Amino acid sequence: MDPRTFYDNNAARLSEDYQSIAPSQINSHWIELIQVTTPGFACDIGAGSGRDANWLAEKGWDVIAVEPSRGMRELAIPKSHPSVTWLDDSLPELSRLRALGHRFGLVLLSAVWMHVPQGQRERAFRILTELLKPGGALVITLRHGSDEQENRERGFHPVSAAELAVFAQRRAVVMKDPVRQPDQTRAHVEWETVVFTIPDDGTGSLPLLRHIIVNDNKSASYKLGLLRVLTRIAESAPGVVMRRSDDWVDIPLGIVGLYWLKQYKPLLIDHQLRERPESDQGYGFARDAFWKLAQISPYGLRVGGHLAADHAAIVTQAIRDACANITTMPTRYITWPGRADPVFEFERRGFRFQPQPLVISAEYLARFGVFRIPAAIWQTLGQYACWLEPAILREWAALHSQWNVSDPRAGDQQVFAWEEGRRDTSLAAGRLLDLRQQGVDVPCVWSARQVREANRLHIDHCFPWSRWFNNDLWNLLPARSDVNLAKGDKLPSALALSSAHGRILDWWDRAWLGSPYRERFLLEAAVSLPTLVEEPAPADIYQAMLHQRARLKADQQLAEWAFGR
């Protein structure tokens, strides 16, 4: 029997059994071993009833609770602490969890490891350790003692700390001495807890990226341009990932080309800055189609952008030219230190395009081919985007100052700004006005209060614009002016989002899902938020918002805001 079937069929009884045991009784011995003085970001894999996840949340942790049993999740979610976010995923792949791009200070597997077949364990252990940030801890409890019926119904396999010690040695993680304790209710069961820690001595792929940004030879800006594009995609469009393996992340080659155009268009068309003025070669990608992009609004050059047939033909050819340049130039010359082989891989594809109206979607961008990024580098690009972007721009501005000595704009980082990099709430404000004219009262999502005066109801970026440049429709929420001012540039707390849950879904339904903007709303959410599939349900989008909130908090250490405080 699939273990999930057993847990689904017995969810009510098992949840009651788990909840009957105080989490402090079974967790207190390892919480001291991990030596964490300040709670951070945790993941409870095989969270079951949510007992341990809620316990950690009460101690100040932000927790992702991973549970493959639908029956267990449905019982646990309504009783969850606001700082617990749930995810349907399972070992050994943990594909949806890994797609979130998180690194955790604590990963907990309580009464889970015996479900993992022996042939899958080493890979599962490696994936678990890759989820940890430097200094993080992995806690695994091992069950000893079961009968034949339990093994058959619940999918148990023999386990040992000695096996884990071998895996730990191969992964260069530190294993603390195991601790044994009896089961709280069953005399024939004993538990062994093993704690592993990641030495706090590195930052993933940052040294490699810093080397490329600062030290690598650059006869043009293409290397910096490619890293900046990939950083932007990893941070703002994680939903475009096509495939993910242990070693590689595949994204549409077309989105790399699209963002390439978005970053060079203001430089060349708006500000007319030149690359290497002593050279007559110019930019290899800037052909006829590129210069015609001057006709197209920056809001058309985006995932979800709508293009008329003539503009669609221009953009398609410009992306083709950009992809050809990207794959023959910077992708070829960004290599591993001391080696000749490139860091990135790609597969270009040709296709026939008949001029017709177009919505720029992930499917359209995938028609240009695949761009392949080492998984560790993709993780670092997204996690450290707030550091990488300014570092790239400083180096790029310095290069342009050398190439355009007589042009004072060359060293000004403002000329490098992404074209959509301005705060824009106009469409949401228009929908709010439409609803009010129809006699629909729209409350402030945070305070739940109706606002009669039109000038006192503002549009708020749920996740602050100053910290994450995102004008997507799902991120724009109606709020009272005084509440919006109090919130400022802070991140809404888990409790604030939980309290506003119903009002957020109601606003989405009225403003977007029942309007001509439905397609744009769903497409933007699927690209910029993690874990979503095509045509996501509003409840799924809300859950993805919670994951993105946790990521922004962990990666940027943002201050939180709670209504009324």
Side-chain angles (χ1 to χ4, degrees):
M1 177 185 292
D2 184 335
R4 278 175 291 194
T5 302
F6 173 84
Y7 286 94
D8 284 342
N9 293 341
N10 296 275
R13 175 179 63 82
L14 293 172
S15 293
E16 184 177 353
D17 290 345
Y18 298 155
Q19 293 297 124
S20 67
I21 304 174
S24 58
Q25 295 179 11
I26 58 175
N27 295 324
S28 58
H29 63 286
W30 62 255
I31 200 73
E32 298 176 358
L33 292 176
I34 66 174
Q35 298 178 339
V36 174
T37 56
T38 303
F41 202 13
C43 182
D44 182 5
I45 297 176
S49 67
R51 178 196 63 199
D52 298 334
N54 291 327
W55 178 71
L56 288 170
E58 290 168 0
K59 289 182 170 294
W61 293 81
D62 286 292
V63 186
I64 291 183
V66 177
E67 175 53 54
S69 166
R70 179 178 179 180
M72 299 295 289
R73 287 197 315 275
E74 289 180 347
L75 290 174
I77 289 175
K79 304 174 184 177
S80 287
H81 189 283
S83 293
V84 176
T85 306
W86 287 81
L87 188 68
D88 176 10
D89 209 351
S90 61
L91 285 165
E93 294 292 336
L94 293 175
S95 54
R96 301 189 74 202
L97 178 64
R98 294 158 69 196
L100 296 175
H102 295 315
R103 288 296 180 267
F104 299 96
L106 169 64
V107 174
L108 172 63
L109 278 80
S110 180
V112 171
W113 193 249
M114 67 276 192
H115 288 296
V116 182
Q118 189 169 12
Q120 300 176 0
R121 286 181 185 164
E122 184 166 10
R123 179 165 181 262
F125 188 85
R126 176 172 59 79
I127 289 172
L128 291 169
T129 57
E130 289 173 352
L131 291 170
L132 293 175
K133 69 177 186 179
L138 167 64
V139 178
I140 300 178
T141 65
L142 305 177
R143 172 173 170 152
H144 299 292
S146 60
D147 56 39
E148 185 176 343
Q149 182 177 354
E150 286 180 317
N151 293 341
R152 182 176 63 256
E153 289 183 339
R154 304 175 70 167
F156 287 171
H157 305 276
V159 295
S160 74
E163 179 188 46
L164 290 173
V166 173
F167 298 159
Q169 186 176 28
R170 293 172 182 171
R171 297 295 301 164
V173 298
V174 177
M175 175 176 168
K176 297 182 180 293
D177 292 335
V179 175
R180 283 190 175 245
Q181 62 179 154
D183 186 84
Q184 297 288 322
T185 59
R186 293 160 294 191
H188 70 286
V189 176
E190 187 179 38
W191 295 94
E192 185 175 23
T193 303
V194 191
V195 175
F196 306 88
T197 58
I198 300 292
D200 192 359
D201 61 355
T203 51
S205 300
L206 270 178
L208 168 64
L209 296 175
R210 183 185 182 279
H211 171 76
I212 297 169
I213 294 168
V214 177
N215 300 322
D216 216 0
N217 178 51
K218 304 176 189 70
S219 58
S221 62
Y222 291 166
K223 290 181 181 179
L224 294 174
L226 180 56
L227 287 186
R228 187 182 182 218
V229 161
L230 297 178
T231 299
R232 183 77 168 188
I233 295 170
E235 179 193 32
S236 65
V240 300
V241 172
M242 302 164 64
R243 285 178 297 277
R244 178 188 296 267
S245 69
D246 295 349
D247 302 315
W248 295 95
V249 169
D250 293 356
I251 63 175
L253 178 59
I255 199 171
V256 183
L258 177 67
Y259 275 64
W260 185 271
L261 299 176
K262 287 158 63 72
Q263 79 171 343
Y264 276 105
K265 181 173 179 280
L267 285 175
L268 275 67
I269 295 177
D270 299 342
H271 299 288
Q272 300 178 359
L273 286 173
R274 294 182 298 166
E275 179 110 334
R276 296 177 299 163
E278 73 281 359
S279 171
D280 294 329
Q281 296 179 1
Y283 290 83
F285 63 88
R287 301 183 178 182
D288 290 345
F290 176 82
W291 300 109
K292 291 179 181 178
L293 294 176
Q295 308 170 21
I296 300 173
S297 162
Y299 292 96
L301 286 176
R302 57 191 295 276
V303 178
H306 286 64
L307 301 172
D310 56 340
H311 286 177
I314 292 170
V315 169
T316 298
Q317 186 57 52
I319 291 177
R320 281 177 171 151
D321 294 340
C323 290
N325 189 254
I326 290 165
T327 54
T328 57
M329 295 295 290
T331 306
R332 177 182 176 187
Y333 292 109
I334 294 179
T335 59
W336 297 101
R339 292 155 52 185
D341 47 318
V343 171
F344 306 111
E345 297 181 358
F346 66 90
E347 175 190 334
R348 286 175 59 189
R349 298 170 183 163
F351 67 96
R352 185 184 299 275
F353 180 77
Q354 297 294 335
Q356 57 184 325
L358 170 70
V359 176
I360 299 180
S361 64
E363 291 75 19
Y364 162 75
L365 296 170
R367 297 179 71 185
F368 295 89
V370 176
F371 195 87
R372 191 164 290 116
I373 306 163
I377 291 180
W378 174 259
Q379 162 66 28
T380 301
L381 290 170
Q383 185 173 0
Y384 294 98
C386 60
W387 178 89
L388 290 168
E389 169 84 2
I392 292 169
L393 289 188
R394 282 195 299 269
E395 186 68 17
W396 199 337
L399 287 176
H400 266 278
S401 294
Q402 298 172 23
W403 296 332
N404 300 269
V405 177
S406 61
D407 192 336
R409 301 170 304 159
D412 183 2
Q413 294 186 26
Q414 292 300 316
V415 305
F416 294 87
W418 296 96
E419 282 194 301
E420 78 276 20
R422 64 182 178 88
R423 191 177 187 277
D424 183 18
T425 61
S426 57
L427 184 56
R431 289 296 298 139
L432 178 60
L433 180 60
D434 291 343
L435 290 170
R436 292 176 69 92
Q437 290 176 343
Q438 296 167 19
V440 177
D441 286 329
V442 179
C444 167
V445 296
W446 305 119
S447 68
R449 290 179 57 184
Q450 300 288 343
V451 181
R452 302 303 177 190
E453 304 87 351
N455 63 346
R456 292 196 61 196
L457 192 56
H458 289 186
I459 298 297
D460 172 39
H461 281 75
C462 178
F463 300 150
W465 171 260
S466 62
R467 303 300 185 184
W468 193 49
F469 297 152
N470 183 287
N471 284 314
D472 288 355
L473 301 184
W474 60 265
N475 195 37
L476 304 178
L477 304 175
R480 278 175 43 197
S481 56
D482 56 334
V483 174
N484 192 22
L485 182 63
K487 176 173 175 281
D489 291 337
K490 294 181 180 179
L491 190 69
S493 69
L495 180 60
L497 268 183
S498 176
S499 299
H501 178 198
R503 292 183 291 277
I504 291 174
L505 265 61
D506 186 60
W507 161 252
W508 287 348
D509 183 60
R510 294 185 178 190
W512 311 121
L513 296 175
S515 79
Y517 300 102
R518 174 186 174 88
E519 182 183 10
R520 173 177 169 179
F521 175 87
L522 295 175
L523 184 56
E524 288 178 346
V527 168
S528 62
L529 292 173
T531 76
L532 295 177
V533 297
E534 189 176 355
E535 291 285 322
D540 296 328
I541 297 174
Y542 175 79
Q543 286 296 316
M545 278 183 70
L546 298 182
H547 288 299
Q548 183 63 24
R549 190 205 76 86
R551 177 176 181 176
L552 289 171
K553 179 183 177 183
D555 290 353
Q556 298 193 32
Q557 300 297 304
L558 298 185
E560 291 186 289
W561 169 85
F563 175 67
R565 296 185 182 179

